[in-house]
Amino acid sequence: MSKTTDNTPDKAPDEEASRPSSFIHDIIEEDRRTGKNDGRVQTRFPPEPNGYLHIGHAKSICLNFGLALEYGGKCNLRFDDTNPLKEEQEYIDSITTDVHWLGFDWEDRLFYASDYFGQLYEWAVQLIKAGKAYVDHLTADEIREYRGTLTEPGKESPYRNRSVEENLALFEQMKNGELEDGECVLRAKIDMVSPNLNMRDPVMYRILHAEHPRTGDKWCIYPMYDWAHGQSDSIEGITHSICTLEFEDHRPLYDWFVEQLGIHAPQQIEFARLNLTHTVLSKRRLIRLVKEGYVSGWDDPRMPTISGIRRRGYPPAAIRDFCDRIGVARANSTVDIQLLEHCVRQDLNLHAPRVMGVLDPLRVVIENYPDDLVEEMDAINNPEDPEMGARKVPFSKVLYIEREDFMEDPPKKFYRLAPGREVRLRYAYFITCTDVIKDENGEVIELRCTYDPETRGGDAPDGRRVKATLHWVSARHALEAEVRLYDHLFIDPFPAGDDLENELNPDSLEVLTHCYVEPSLADANHGDRFQFERQGYFNVDLDSTPENLVFNRTVPLRDTWAKIQQQAK
RNA sequence: UGGGGGGUGGCCAAGCGGCAAGGCAGCGGCCUUUGGAGCCGAAGAUCGCAGGUUCGAAUCCUGCCCUCCCAGCCA
């Protein structure tokens, strides 16, 4: 993969910079101190290929790959593909794309749980021989009944004490496809009265005559998560197997299998998954949004999916920064989405070239400007980074400015253009509004202004000041564009995400047409990110063509004027 | 009313017995050819509650309250 500044995580161990601290770092550092695993750090990111990755996964990805980077270890990418009924190649492809996009590289360590089906089968036979596993012919319903409840102990299956020979023969039949789906399962023989339901003889294998994306029809028995995951970790020499809190109750089982087999024992460590305000991050709800058409797809720029935020224009470095800042802990929490937006702005402020674009155009005619003159004004590409250079922006007699930058009868604190008032056009001239033209409905359709030739570039030789600087675009030279404005998907900061009809923000998407942008944007490519001065950060959408430019508003600039207006209410 | 977790300013989160970091949000001000950015400043915490141990407790002990997870042949 290509390594660019934009896409390379900076986690090299350094002395002074404040290293992230968390209970996981503490565990790892203690392990290194005591020489556990020879001081090695090996992690993995283990997605199930049954959906698209979202910002919550990014937290796990940054954590796992980040720890490996910090401690000179390795992080594998492993697909947990043990359920052919739900998994598809499409998801595998999107996941690898997304992890790479986030800036992480698993080199030659791309693995699949299905790589280990053979080994898992042998180990299962080993457990059967040790009297630690048995084939159970109870139906699914019966197994549930026998499992007991949270407060009542379970009871043992009548098949629990079959002989080793019988179990071996039956398991062989399961593997050979001689039995029907659901006819029986292989179970671990542990403890039916354990207060931890996971220990009440958990199912290890079920029969599924299903085509697997990678192993095809080679297998008709598939391992359950608990049986596959820890053993896969062990095979790969994982030292710290990091997962989310809901697997905490599975840890005793994870440890039990590894101990019975006498194989390398990774340490499972659980952390709290990410929740974000104004959105949902559960796979089920995200699927509904897509399948029921509330959004245009998995990559709709309003979606919290990696593909969605990528299309929206969020830089991967901003996501990484966000993941560093939210920390890792065991307390369930919901992070304010404003922190994510802050990280996006901070990255884009430094890296996005500035351009001018008018979203809601108001025509301005400079009456004392020569009819056919065109001047090329010098504009700085990024005041935060001189290395980004400068460009020329054409100026002429007829311009467009932002409609909201003019008020006929301005309130107190409104510094922008008004009748008789002088303001600066960015990188161009001071202009003064001399007349307001309206249509028959009284709506302002054009402004007449004069300019001061002495102020070329934006400074007055006599030292006089103006209170506002407006962005603008030359009417003759401007490119027409469509601009899509986005807002939070859900109105409520803590949506249940079930009653979509009422919970979704009806204004989460606003499409603006007939916007005008400066001509330099003609060569912009898909994904290119810009700051439209005074408005926000935008990128070129996938739908954009040279004939029909389309921009997404990634995130607006902070807007203190809007705040003042709010306070006035 | 079984088991396993968690409760530190509005939101995250450090802290690991010596006297509550930091970030986001919010609030002032400075600066500014983006009302952006940047800079400066102030404010904000009975550390879930109640006891106890200790010279000293957010940190240790006890009890209580609240909250999250678990009864898939999903992961």
Side-chain angles (χ1 to χ4, degrees), chain A residues 271-290:
Chain A
F271 71 97
R273 65 176 348 136
L274 172 68
N275 294 293
L276 259 193
T277 58
H278 297 289
T279 191
V280 293
L281 292 179
S282 87
K283 213 171 264 185
R284 204 195 99 236
R285 296 190 176 91
L286 257 17
I287 285 173
R288 262 197 77 192
L289 289 169
V290 174

Side-chain angles (χ1 to χ4, degrees), chain A residues 368 422 429-431 450-456 460-462 464:
Chain A
N368 59 338
E422 183 174 56
Y429 291 103
F430 284 11
I431 60 168
T450 58
Y451 85 115
D452 177 355
E454 295 296 306
T455 59
R456 190 177 199 283
D462 63 4
R464 80 181 185 280

Side-chain angles (χ1 to χ4, degrees), chain A residues 88-296:
Chain A
E88 293 172 26
Q89 186 61 39
E90 176 197 350
Y91 297 124
I92 293 178
D93 296 339
S94 74
I95 290 168
T96 54
T97 298
D98 289 349
V99 177
H100 266 151
W101 179 77
L102 277 171
F104 298 104
D105 189 5
W106 51 87
E107 300 172 314
D108 57 350
R109 300 179 310 282
L110 171 59
F111 302 124
Y112 296 83
S114 55
D115 294 341
Y116 313 132
F117 282 175
Q119 174 67 264
L120 255 13
Y121 178 81
E122 286 175 32
W123 276 337
V125 169
Q126 184 182 326
L127 285 194
I128 292 172
K129 287 179 175 168
K132 300 289 188 180
Y134 64 98
V135 173
D136 193 354
H137 274 78
L138 247 28
T139 65
D141 284 344
E142 288 168 333
I143 285 181
R144 189 180 319 116
E145 285 172 32
Y146 276 66
R147 185 156 32 225
T149 69
L150 295 178
T151 53
E152 301 159 22
K155 58 187 184 204
E156 299 183 352
S157 164
Y159 304 99
R160 196 174 199 258
N161 294 309
R162 294 215 251 226
S163 70
V164 167
E165 292 66 34
E166 189 180 5
N167 281 320
L168 249 18
L170 252 15
F171 187 46
E172 174 94 26
Q173 286 178 34
M174 284 173 66
K175 186 198 72 167
N176 292 340
E178 294 164 30
L179 306 174
E180 300 291 310
D181 284 8
E183 197 171 325
C184 58
V185 295
L186 182 73
R187 290 228 255 174
K189 189 189 285 189
I190 308 180
D191 178 8
M192 288 307 292
V193 301
S194 170
N196 180 346
L197 304 214
N198 294 119
M199 300 299 273
R200 319 241 265 227
D201 290 11
V203 173
M204 293 168 65
Y205 277 101
R206 73 282 218 190
I207 300 171
L208 247 33
H209 290 269
E211 175 94 1
H212 186 283
R214 295 193 54 85
T215 61
D217 58 5
K218 181 174 181 195
W219 296 90
C220 56
I221 55 172
Y222 290 94
M224 297 289 289
Y225 165 84
D226 288 302
W227 173 238
H229 201 94
Q231 279 47 256
S232 299
D233 284 342
S234 183
I235 289 167
E236 293 176 17
I238 300 302
T239 55
H240 304 270
S241 176
I242 298 164
C243 61
T244 45
L245 251 27
E246 65 270 28
F247 291 101
E248 193 161 10
D249 293 337
H250 295 244
R251 194 171 63 225
L253 180 53
Y254 184 108
D255 293 341
W256 188 88
F257 279 134
V258 156
E259 191 190 333
Q260 296 304 315
L261 262 15
I263 57 180
H264 164 68
Q267 178 181 5
Q268 176 179 306
I269 303 170
E270 312 85 16
F271 71 97
R273 65 176 348 136
L274 172 68
N275 294 293
L276 259 193
T277 58
H278 297 289
T279 191
V280 293
L281 292 179
S282 87
K283 213 171 264 185
R284 204 195 99 236
R285 296 190 176 91
L286 257 17
I287 285 173
R288 262 197 77 192
L289 289 169
V290 174
K291 293 282 157 72
E292 295 178 27
Y294 290 104
V295 296
S296 64

Side-chain angles (χ1 to χ4, degrees), chain A residues 349-391:
Chain A
N349 176 48
L350 262 22
H351 304 298
R354 264 110 250 229
V355 293
M356 291 193 283
V358 175
L359 304 190
D360 186 9
L362 174 59
R363 189 179 152 92
V364 171
V365 177
I366 313 294
E367 300 203 283
N368 59 338
Y369 195 84
D371 287 353
D372 297 317
L373 180 62
V374 176
E375 291 184 87
E376 296 288 328
M377 313 309 286
D378 290 306
I380 292 167
N381 286 334
N382 188 342
E384 302 293 330
D385 183 2
E387 304 233 318
M388 290 177 73
R391 69 186 185 287

